[in-house]
């Protein structure tokens, strides 16, 4: 049952409720949610809920209808975010775990770890105890394998996961792994589940070969009842009559499970398909289904792999896959989980010092607009939950906030796929040489018709939004609300704030879902924009001293430059030819008037960085020599 506590419950009353329940034989878990604090009480005992309801400080008692209790959404509404070292799984993230099926040797592990880390994996996998169908197949290196996996994880700064097959290995393995893996064949090995649960450590729980969703969640319940609340579910294909693939990937289980439980669910396309070529498309299907990540088998030499070679990706295939997953993330409203790249020793020390100095004041991130704006969403996706958001009235206020040190970073739009370049921000960047571009973020702009709760379509007389919001939803408005007046407003989330304060059912707003959530309004119609390919790209800006910390998270592959040229024939052409001659791909070119210099222009260029950075350094030297003014606005990792 769920015991909902009153807002003003005193610590003494809370203790009394807890001991009352424990004495009656219940396992009691406190869950602090956004709205309520509750005690989840589970166990074999039965009790008349009214006796609990009468205790001081208790608001109400609700029975849990499902056989799994601690794992159920009824018990906890918010998504659980499982932390494995510095990696987070769940919520708005997509975490990529990769590595070989089995640990085979030191060289094999180091080579694979290096390549998957470079490509964007955040956690390393590798089996040391392999439950093979045939007793004659390679059974794994055992503890020796765990040592190699640990070494590779430490060398490339990734937490590790490995399968545990026997309760008697749990204590030994706890000394090596960061997350236990329970294999499909052991999903209902209850003694193993209890032993692993007792460690309180994170667990990756594979779905059994022919387990129903309920049986799978009951297995999670075993882990949770034994003592861990850090469970990640993994859909890895089920047994069906189909033989074309090794198993049948049950993608529909992902949204089903996500509704039933607060635990994160990821997918394993490798064991689901058993075929290398199917792994990438099914990984994308897993992410599109709403999963919080994928676990993929990768091998440096799959032909020689001691197990599951035919389904293991080559490192280059894996790198391409991570790139595609990243491109898909904004479509499903998520962002790729990243961890800082390994830094050279000197930089690491500087960074540690910085984090020590700022131990208790968290990062401040500036964005333009009111709370709930798309810009806030972009800012949240770029930083950890602990970052504080600073809403700025104008773009220039956001620049000032970073410049003055009031904020550490600013996240500002530079381009929309339908509306084009946001010139104001390029102009402001030109005026702020102390700031640099350290990253990029992409957000899908999905518009919604937002109303005061309880409003019906026929009540709406006026629709408020930013002119672009109204324009982008014109077909919907003409079709569904032809008589409603369209009222331009200074921004989309601001329009939601306005209808919320007016509390009037005859007015609606068009904005993103976060704004509806933030102001407690209701989304009456979702995705009402005419063109669904509506994305906004943001720059993440910082002062130079904060740049490396952010950039170190992933390998830079893009640069932004600005330059001006003398007023003579071919001057611009000369610089563009220099870029072309280096074989460097230019992805954007804009020109802006220079304030105070009529008819003179500043050019903005975005480039793909070449593999060989020396080529880029030569290019900047050549442009510097030819241009009147020149600046590298930033080197960063592209979000697209
Ligand atoms: C594995 O991940 O190596 C494995 C054996 O997977 P499963 O338990 O899903 O078959
Ligand atoms: Mn395998």
């Amino acid at each position: 049952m769920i015991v909902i506590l009153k807002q003003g419950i005193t610590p003494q009353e809370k203790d009394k409720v807890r001991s009352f329940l424990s004495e009656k034989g219940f396992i009691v878990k406190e869950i602090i949610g956004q709205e309520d604090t509750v005690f989840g009480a589970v166990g074999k005992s039965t009790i008349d809920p009214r006796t609990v309801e009468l205790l001081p400080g208790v608001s109400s008692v609700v029975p849990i209808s499902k056989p799994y209790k601690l794992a159920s959404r009824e018990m906890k509404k918010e998504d659980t975010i499982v932390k494995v070292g510095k990696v987070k799984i769940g919520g708005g993230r997509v975490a990529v775990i990769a590595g070989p099926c089995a640990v085979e040797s030191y060289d094999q592990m180091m080579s694979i770890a290096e390549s998957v880390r470079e490509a964007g994996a955040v956690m390393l996998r590798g089996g040391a105890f392999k439950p093979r169908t045939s007793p004659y197949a390679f059974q794994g290196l055992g503890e020796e394998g765990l040592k190699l996996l640990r070494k590779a994880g430490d060398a490339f700064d990734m937490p590790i996961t490995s399968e545990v097959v026997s309760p008697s290995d749990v204590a030994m393995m706890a000394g090596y792994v960061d997350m236990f893996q329970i294999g499909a064949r052991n999903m209902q090995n209850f003694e193993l589940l209890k032993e692993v649960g007792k460690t309180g450590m994170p667990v990756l729980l594979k779905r059994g070969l022919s387990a129903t969703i309920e049986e799978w969640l009951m297995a999670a319940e075993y882990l949770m009842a034994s003592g861990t609340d850090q469970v990640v579910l993994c859909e890895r294909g089920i047994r069906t009559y189909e033989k074309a693939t090794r198993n049948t990937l049950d993608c529909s289980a992902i949204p089903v499970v996500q509704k039933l439980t607060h635990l994160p669910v990821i997918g394993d396309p490798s064991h689901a398909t058993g075929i290398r070529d199917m792994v990438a498309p099914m990984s994308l299907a897993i992410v599109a289904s709403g999963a919080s990540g994928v676990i993929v088998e990768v091998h440096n030499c799959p032909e020689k792999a001691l197990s599951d070679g035919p389904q293991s990706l080559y490192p280059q295939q894996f790198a391409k896959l991570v790139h595609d997953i990243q491109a898909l993330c904004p479509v499903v409203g998520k962002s790729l989980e990243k961890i800082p790249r390994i830094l050279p020793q000197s930089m690491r020390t500087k960074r540690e010092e910085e984090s020590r100095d700022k131990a208790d004041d968290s990062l401040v991130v500036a964005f333009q607009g009111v709370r709930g704006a798309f810009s806030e969403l972009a800012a949240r996706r770029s930083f950890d939950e602990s970052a504080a958001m600073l809403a700025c009235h104008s773009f220039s206020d956001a620049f000032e906030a970073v410049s003055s040190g009031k904020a550490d970073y600013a996240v500002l739009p530079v381009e929309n796929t339908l509306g084009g370049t946001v010139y104001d921000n390029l102009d402001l960047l030109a005026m702020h040489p102390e700031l640099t571009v350290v990253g990029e973020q992409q957000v899908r702009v999905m518009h919604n018709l937002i109303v005061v709760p309880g409003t019906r379509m026929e009540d709406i007389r006026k629709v408020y939004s930013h002119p672009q919001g109204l324009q982008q939803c014109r077909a919907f408005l003409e079709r569904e609300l032809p008589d409603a007046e369209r009222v331009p407003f200074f921004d989309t989330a601001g329009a939601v704030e306005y209808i919320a304060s007016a509390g009037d059912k005859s007015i609606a707003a068009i904005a993103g879902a976060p704004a509806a959530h933030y102001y407690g309004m209701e989304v009456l119609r979702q995705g009402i924009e005419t063109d669904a390919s509506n994305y906004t790209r943001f720059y993440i800006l910082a002062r130079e001293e904060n740049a490396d910390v952010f950039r170190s998270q992933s390998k830079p592959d893009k640069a932004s430059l600005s330059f001006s040229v003398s007023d003579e024939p071919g001057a611009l052409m000369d610089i563009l030819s220099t870029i072309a001659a280096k074989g460097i791909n230019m992805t954007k070119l804009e020109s802006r008037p220079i304030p105070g210099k009529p008819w003179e222009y500043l050019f903005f260029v975005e480039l793909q960085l070449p593999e060989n950075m020396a080529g880029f350094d030569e290019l900047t030297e050549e442009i510097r020599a030819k241009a009147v003014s020149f600046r590298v606005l930033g080197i960063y990792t592209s979000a697209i």
Side-chain angles (χ1 to χ4, degrees), residues 196-251:
V196 169
K198 270 193 236 160
T199 64
M201 285 170 61
V203 187
L204 180 69
L205 178 65
K206 296 274 195 104
R207 181 178 180 183
L209 298 171
S210 40
T212 63
I213 288 174
E214 188 167 296
E215 285 164 343
W216 186 16
L217 292 173
M218 288 307 288
E221 189 74 14
Y222 258 96
L223 289 167
M224 297 183 84
S226 315
T228 181
D229 49 9
Q230 300 283 291
V231 180
V232 178
L233 299 161
C234 178
E235 161 57 41
R236 45 79 70 205
I238 47 171
R239 236 349 125 70
T240 67
Y241 51 81
E242 183 52 68
K243 291 202 209 131
T245 48
R246 182 172 171 180
N247 290 290
T248 299
L249 176 65
D250 185 8
C251 267

Side-chain angles (χ1 to χ4, degrees), residues 101 125 130 246 271 297 308 311:
C101 178
R125 63 150 288 153
K130 297 303 302 174
R246 182 172 171 180
H271 294 89
E297 285 185 347
D308 286 349
Q311 70 194 31

Side-chain angles (χ1 to χ4, degrees), residues 414-423 468 472 533-536:
V414 284
E415 190 170 9
N416 174 267
T417 46
L418 305 180
T421 301
V422 183
Y423 294 115
Q468 276 200 6
Q472 289 171 4
S533 327
N534 188 351
Y535 296 90
T536 300

